Amino acid sequence: MYRTHTCGELRISHTGQQVTLAGWIQTVRKFGSISFVDLRDRYGITQLLFGEELNAMLAEQPLGREFVVQAKGMVTERSDKNLRLPTGEIEIKILSFSVLNRSATPPFTIQDDTDGGDDLRMKYRYLDLRRNAVKKNLELRYAVNRAARNYLHGQGFMDIETPFLIKSTPEGARDFVVPSRMNAGQFYALPQSPQTFKQLLMVSGYDRYYQVVKCFRDEDLRADRQPEFTQIDCEMAFVEQEDILNMFESMIKYIFKEVKGIDYAEPVKRMTWEDAMWEYGIDKPDIRFEMKIANLKKPSYVFLNKDDNATVINDAGFKVFDEAETVVAIAVTGCAEYTRKQTDELTEWVKRPQIGMKGLVYIKCHADGSFKSSVDKFYNEEKLKAIAAATGAKQGDLVLILAGPEERTRKAVSELRLELAERLGFRKKEEFRLLWVLDFPLFEYAEEENLAGRWVARHHPFTAPKPDHIDAMINNNPLIENTVEYLSHPYANIKANAYDMVLNGNEIGGGSIRIFQRELQEKMFSALGMSEEESLNKFGFLLGAFEYGAPPHGGIAFGFDRLCAILGGSESIRDFIAFPKNNSGRDMMLDAPGSIDEKQLNELQIKLNLK
Amino acid sequence: MYRTHTCGELRISHTGQQVTLAGWIQTVRKFGSISFVDLRDRYGITQLLFGEELNAMLAEQPLGREFVVQAKGMVTERSDKNLRLPTGEIEIKILSFSVLNRSATPPFTIQDDTDGGDDLRMKYRYLDLRRNAVKKNLELRYAVNRAARNYLHGQGFMDIETPFLIKSTPEGARDFVVPSRMNAGQFYALPQSPQTFKQLLMVSGYDRYYQVVKCFRDEDLRADRQPEFTQIDCEMAFVEQEDILNMFESMIKYIFKEVKGIDYAEPVKRMTWEDAMWEYGIDKPDIRFEMKIANLKKPSYVFLNKDDNATVINDAGFKVFDEAETVVAIAVTGCAEYTRKQTDELTEWVKRPQIGMKGLVYIKCHADGSFKSSVDKFYNEEKLKAIAAATGAKQGDLVLILAGPEERTRKAVSELRLELAERLGFRKKEEFRLLWVLDFPLFEYAEEENLAGRWVARHHPFTAPKPDHIDAMINNNPLIENTVEYLSHPYANIKANAYDMVLNGNEIGGGSIRIFQRELQEKMFSALGMSEEESLNKFGFLLGAFEYGAPPHGGIAFGFDRLCAILGGSESIRDFIAFPKNNSGRDMMLDAPGSIDEKQLNELQIKLNLK
């Protein structure tokens, strides 16, 4: 062992002990004939004092930043204590030392506020990982991993490893594939999730399964996606939705307690998907703050059980509202005094292509009870007051109104809500609000070109419909004849036994009760446009398994990277992955992917076919 | 929840309680107007009693084997207790039941002694996994996983995930590769181990790392190899070999205690590689029994510090021994009375191509003190006595002698030793003997065609030589001029700071102290025949990392599948993997690998090039 103690361990009570430390040189400060050296390791920083004799040696062979040093010395009380450091009451009077390894000058400083840019830090990730900020993230990640495992173990779950070299079943996302040399011309796929395996384990009777497991998706990487990512993957047999919600609500609370020291005592709020879309315009609402959507107008074919507030905007001759499918508003707390410049900027913000609105209507609800709007021509004070009332605005608030096609407008108002909350400081990093979103639609309309006019599974094809929606699924033809008004097709209203866990506006987990009957699973595959042959070829093993006594079951998977990021107060998962890839799927440090030898290609019996 | 209790939970103390169970029908036994049904789940079996009324229902709608059933009833004391079952004192008087799912007749019986053959069980693995024997294996696997994690956590190790999509660096074993769609013409590789990443983590200061992690090797699958396998992978910084041996010896003992209830109190025996080869003919000796090799003759260029016993066989005019490079023997306890048929059979055994000997010489050391051998023509009683004495044979033992080229003969005697021990019952499944084998050669001669005449790293290119062998490595030319007598090259005697942990004759773990200086690492790459360009292209990131303050470090990796198999008393790892592949690398259940769409190939910009 190169050391007797770590650099985070020594206290005033160790005074007088002779110790050996090993670590990295953080700083060297010379004061005349003596030097102070901060020595760093994983556990902390300890100050070394080089007296006259050793200091002379240092003058000849200077210790550079990041040199690896072993030093022996005596623990001594400091005269000038640094109470911000746990080791700050002592220093080590060095008796002897040796340089274990030298270091070139690092390309950026190993400090919380490094001078290194993103690309540089990724290329030298092994140096970036030395920074305290990154280390804290990986420590948090390990703590979450450990807490989740301990909780699940305590509940009788078993970690069972599922294979990585599986069969390609291109549904939804694209598979990474692996050419097989021993079976030339054939390919394995890397799993997008262990979904079918965990279901098979339920069929096999392992009624509580978990795994912290890598998954793979070959998708174009939008911001903050990784081609490989980690899931906390769980499945249970002989359960209903309520059992799963309770089990995993408790797990997250356990993690909060263990990792963050937070007692999340109250039950996790639950909301139907429909309510979430109606009140927040999104299926993963951030409920740290209110600012709910006021639905002033909606088309008839959606939210069948909801009423809009159209009376307050109709009959005013304002064509924008009259011709719009949907009119929605939010009341922004305390912003009635926004200047023209500020409202203009918000208008520009909603007109950006990513948001896609044609404009923005505002009503200022002044503190004196008066109203001022951008549509004064059409709405008198009384009508403005009625609209403001419908949005729940109070005196001093700013009402923002968007109008346009249902889906785009609802999405836009949700984005606007989040943007304003961000600007107003309502999205506090260290406040955590959990939410279950329930009763998702079972089917979604496929917008991708190659699937157009078809249903796709919103969650995945193994999700069970609500029991009382099974008939609607079986008795209606899945064919979409009117692709424009696809929302009026009966399938659009079939709800799934599915649930998402949302934390601060991020989906951190999602799951469902599964289909466990062969007939219903076959109906699902056919509703998704799969021929019988295709479904047998892709999922014959699962359909087969369902013939031999499959129990009712369901499960959930948590996005481990995202969960860690949010608990760590960040929205970037990359900061919580030891060796992440960039947005082109490249590992900048390894310089991977790379070319392979002709010999390897020949052995695999494939060749390049570059366009 | 579909149940109030599991099928393994109810005891006499529950008598009188109303309970609901759910599980699989194991058996149905009719006795006139009543029926007994064994209901099975992960936790056990509980007997259900169907009285007259329900029995009549059963007559109409029989419960088949493996049906999934939910049953409500009263816990009742049994009149006819089955004390072999934990639940055998009670039964459930059924009040109502429902069939949750039916089952077709399984293709084999779900019992310890199943009637299913290997292929059938692999195809229907989800049914095979229901068998108690397989379930016990997976439970043991989870227990080992959990114990290892708990031990390592307690020692301050951190689980840090390393990437799966990395760079192909074809050394030794063949990589599985993954074509990159976003970087057309380029490939990722799946890791053969996280070796370089864990070393980078040491450079980054995470001085105790572990991971239970999947690794991948695209090798022709000899018996009991899998293309994907799991390692318990560990690395430590600021340590010497002794620290690692102590740390992981304690880990294995902890696992023994936690998983098997075994107190492995004595220190793990240590043996140099040279002693292991000299005394056992193999680098992973099974030391549950003695039967050590007697070295009667050896060539001069190996085992430089060992003396053979040539005087006892020389000068007898026996050409087979005189002309042989190596003559080795074992004394087989209590087998002096083997018949001619038995010794003939052993002779045939060593002449099989896998062993490759030309014949076998025996000496029977009879209980009356007389000797009888197959070489009586050349060796008189006195000489036979001397040979027997050299092998340590006692009266009643059978001495078996092999002669031939050094490597083949040594390997053969090792195999013969194991075979006889197996036959004599010396290899007891429930006896566990650990062994550290130390001081391996750093280099090995490459026998594969494409590498011939070159050195390869015995462990891997990151293993450090023993400190006092560094000079021999640096000051000698690695070029092998005499490929026949390559063992006489100075590199053949360079020893590595490497260690294997052996359990019952199986290597369960191996590791080394690593090179941490750029210059030495470069020398190693060049000794392995890599050009500077090649080494930079493949391992530039590691060489780079070594420039920025790499600490001394080392580690070990345990073969998790194999460790579990041995602890479970089996030598087949397949029985300890939930979804294994067969010897052609196929998953029989999924029918993977399989063909992929033309569209997928086009997106990846590759095409098939079948021969």
Side-chain angles (χ1 to χ4, degrees), chain B residues 179-340:
Chain B
S180 167
R181 182 182 53 86
M182 300 222 298
N183 303 272
Q186 300 193 321
F187 292 77
Y188 301 100
L190 299 178
Q192 296 185 27
S193 91
Q195 182 61 35
T196 50
F197 293 99
K198 65 179 179 174
Q199 292 192 243
L200 291 178
L201 288 171
M202 295 305 108
V203 174
S204 300
Y206 295 79
D207 56 16
R208 294 187 169 194
Y209 144 93
Y210 79 97
Q211 211 180 173
V212 181
V213 64
K214 272 282 173 73
C215 303
F216 304 86
R217 271 177 215 175
D218 183 14
E219 292 299 292
D220 297 321
L221 300 175
R222 285 183 270 149
D224 216 30
R225 285 265 195 108
Q226 289 280 320
E228 51 176 310
F229 55 98
T230 306
Q231 283 186 353
I232 305 176
D233 193 50
C234 306
E235 195 82 0
M236 301 173 78
F238 300 116
V239 290
E240 292 159 313
Q241 176 170 300
E242 188 64 24
D243 304 310
I244 303 226
L245 299 187
N246 290 333
M247 178 63 75
F248 292 99
E249 180 166 330
S250 297
M251 183 179 93
I252 290 294
K253 288 178 175 179
Y254 183 86
I255 290 172
F256 268 116
K257 181 69 184 163
E258 291 291 307
V259 176
K260 303 286 293 182
I262 293 173
D263 274 308
Y264 198 105
E266 66 270 46
V268 170
K269 204 178 157 175
R270 298 179 182 192
M271 192 182 290
T272 64
W273 173 83
E274 197 156 85
D275 285 346
M277 294 306 289
W278 182 252
E279 295 182 351
Y280 297 92
I282 194 168
D283 58 3
K284 46 181 183 180
D286 186 344
I287 58 166
R288 279 176 295 185
F289 57 97
E290 288 274 326
M291 221 195 285
K292 287 185 192 172
I293 298 171
N295 284 277
L296 301 179
K297 187 178 174 188
K298 72 155 182 93
S300 61
Y301 59 85
V302 292
F303 301 107
L304 305 181
N305 303 315
K306 308 272 188 196
D307 292 322
D308 63 24
N309 233 320
T311 49
V312 301
I313 54 166
N314 283 348
D315 309 322
F318 183 43
K319 270 179 77 173
V320 172
F321 286 178
D322 291 346
E323 289 175 2
E325 202 177 33
T326 292
V327 181
V328 284
I330 50 172
V332 188
T333 311
C335 295
E337 302 308 322
Y338 264 25
T339 61
R340 175 65 183 264

Side-chain angles (χ1 to χ4, degrees), chain A residues 578-595:
Chain A
F579 299 101
K581 294 185 175 55
N582 74 7
N583 282 345
S584 319
R586 293 199 71 81
D587 185 315
M588 304 281 281
M589 181 187 69
L590 300 181
D591 193 20
S595 58

